[in-house]
Amino acid sequence: MTEEGRTSEGADRARKLFEAHMPELVPVLDRLAGQLDRPEGDTFLTLATVRPFFSGCTQIGGNGILLRNYDFSPDDCEGTIVSSHFLRPVIGMQDAAWGLLDGMNDAGLAVSLTFGGRFVHGPGFAILIVLRYLLETCDSVDEAIGKLQSIPIAIPQNVTLVDSEKAVTVFVGPDIPLAEAPDACAANHQHLPVPDEQEQFSRTQERLSAIRAVGTDVAAMLKPPLYQSGYDEGLGTVYTAHYQPSEGRVTYYWPGESWEHSFDDFVPGFRTVTIGQAASRSR
């Protein structure tokens, strides 16, 4: 949490922001906060006082499919796939207690995030709780975009949304109005040109070009340049997620392994997986 968020004034602002923009989730927030043994737990769960964090990621939507690589530091990834029923059934990759990196709901809507590539920060929510809110309250891409337009987002993010009829990527952030991307693909930039130093570090334009060329191809996501190995820089691929929301089904992939879940068949368990090998083998 930010230092401002640890003050009584900051906590009050976070609460009011949550009540104003996510009123449907307030009872859930209070119930979850009551289960925590930390006095700042209720403020943390608003995810409106979180220090900015930056990651990689590449994603694409189309033909009812949402496919993404999540690139981050493995040590800082919660690694929990959750089937929840707060307001409705939702399955997704959880982070920050109840936020989501990506997920789908029982209405056939799927959403996913990537960092927008600009290192600015402002008042607003971590995108993790926004994805949770969209999946808990929206049935379609259009409905979700409508809600996104008025929710303050703390750092630049690219959000890809998919339902049975539409796939869209939008750019959001603390310093820009919501803008629709040229297609339903995203890496880690929003507007061109990308500075040379940023491209050398993140290869965001290279990855975006690659995913546009291959489409929703799981095999391509498990190979360079889409599969990344920069784990020491927080840019290694931690998992690949393949959502088919109209079927209520998601499959997570790692080199040589996959794990499928659905609303009809979600069995609690755990896996130990090996990451990073696909990139090294293909060199």
Side-chain angles (χ1 to χ4, degrees):
M1 290 172 56
T2 61
E3 292 303 316
E4 192 266 349
R6 297 179 185 276
T7 66
S8 58
E9 295 83 1
D12 185 59
R13 278 192 287 272
R15 174 74 185 200
K16 289 180 178 177
L17 196 69
F18 196 94
E19 291 175 344
H21 292 281
M22 304 184 189
E24 300 95 330
L25 284 182
V26 170
V28 182
L29 171 71
D30 291 340
R31 179 163 60 85
L32 295 178
Q35 299 176 32
L36 298 180
D37 58 359
R38 297 192 60 171
E40 300 166 336
D42 56 340
T43 303
F44 172 76
L45 289 176
T46 66
L47 298 191
T49 62
V50 179
R51 295 181 186 276
F53 68 95
F54 311 104
S55 62
C57 311
T58 317
Q59 59 197 27
I60 182 172
N63 300 317
I65 291 171
L66 176 58
L67 179 64
R68 68 99 99 256
N69 274 1
Y70 182 69
D71 305 333
F72 201 54
S73 168
D75 292 339
D76 295 325
C77 185
E78 184 173 319
T80 306
I81 302 165
V82 171
S83 176
S84 63
H85 195 154
F86 295 134
L87 303 182
R88 69 190 313 160
V90 170
I91 292 176
M93 186 66 78
Q94 179 175 279
D95 199 68
W98 67 317
L100 293 170
L101 302 170
D102 45 71
M104 64 180 177
N105 66 17
D106 63 332
L109 174 66
V111 296
S112 181
L113 66 87
T114 76
F115 170 51
R118 295 181 299 107
F119 294 88
V120 297
H121 181 250
F125 296 100
I127 194 69
L128 306 166
I129 192 62
V130 178
L131 295 196
R132 164 67 71 181
Y133 177 69
L134 296 179
L135 290 178
E136 296 287 351
T137 61
C138 299
D139 291 343
S140 67
V141 167
D142 287 341
E143 186 180 359
I145 291 175
K147 292 200 173 187
L148 258 181
Q149 289 178 330
S150 62
I151 298 176
I153 309 296
I155 66 173
Q157 299 282 354
N158 306 328
V159 180
T160 300
L161 310 98
V162 173
D163 61 23
S164 61
E165 299 180 355
K166 184 177 289 189
V168 176
T169 288
V170 296
F171 303 145
V172 295
D175 58 341
I176 60 171
L178 181 146
E180 189 169 321
D183 52 25
C185 303
N188 301 120
H189 63 278
Q190 294 182 326
H191 306 296
L192 299 173
V194 175
D196 290 343
E197 182 178 355
Q198 182 179 343
E199 178 62 24
Q200 291 173 8
F201 174 70
S202 69
R203 300 190 301 169
T204 176
Q205 293 181 98
E206 179 185 0
R207 288 183 285 114
L208 187 62
S209 296
I211 200 166
R212 282 173 170 163
V214 299
T216 53
D217 182 352
V218 171
M221 294 295 266
L222 295 171
K223 301 175 183 177
L226 297 175
Y227 192 96
Q228 299 202 88
S229 56
Y231 296 98
D232 291 341
E233 295 81 33
L235 292 175
T237 299
V238 180
Y239 66 89
T240 300
H242 179 251
Y243 285 93
Q244 298 169 278
S246 62
E247 299 178 13
R249 186 176 307 279
V250 57
T251 306
Y252 298 93
Y253 290 90
W254 301 270
E257 185 158 359
S258 63
W259 199 5
E260 182 178 294
H261 299 280
S262 68
F263 291 112
D264 293 332
D265 185 17
F266 189 96
V267 180
F270 70 92
R271 295 282 180 93
T272 300
V273 300
T274 301
I275 59 177
Q277 292 189 351
S280 62
R281 282 201 302 266
S282 62
R283 288 175 182 165

